[in-house]
Amino acid sequence: MVLLVSSMDKMWISFGSMGCMFLAMAFMFFVKNKLKNKFLKFILGLIAYILLFIGFITMIYIISNPTKA
């Protein structure tokens, strides 16, 4: 079963997806360049990868599903 969503809903979902990817990028920059604490590096890196995965999955959802007519 395919869940049909409106075009406006797809727009907002894609904005959320791009926001997740932007946050992941910012967290990774912060982890690689600014942090010294290994525990905080691990936690923020894990959060960044989770956000990247969520952004990727929602973009795949947006691209693959049709909209309501």
Side-chain angles (χ1 to χ4, degrees):
M1 180 177 150
V2 175
L3 179 65
L4 296 177
V5 296
S6 70
S7 297
M8 288 298 287
D9 290 338
K10 284 181 79 169
M11 179 194 73
W12 287 112
I13 293 169
S14 70
F15 284 162
S17 177
M18 288 186 284
C20 284
M21 289 185 200
F22 178 77
L23 280 176
M25 180 188 67
F27 281 163
M28 273 305 181
F29 174 78
F30 192 68
V31 164
K32 299 277 184 191
N33 296 322
K34 304 291 182 191
L35 281 180
K36 301 290 185 221
N37 187 343
K38 296 238 185 227
F39 180 71
L40 283 177
K41 277 182 142 182
F42 175 74
I43 296 298
L44 284 180
L46 185 64
I47 291 170
Y49 280 114
I50 290 170
L51 284 171
L52 188 64
F53 181 73
I54 290 170
F56 175 73
I57 294 299
T58 53
M59 274 296 176
I60 295 297
Y61 171 76
I62 292 299
I63 291 169
S64 65
N65 279 347
T67 58
K68 279 194 261 186

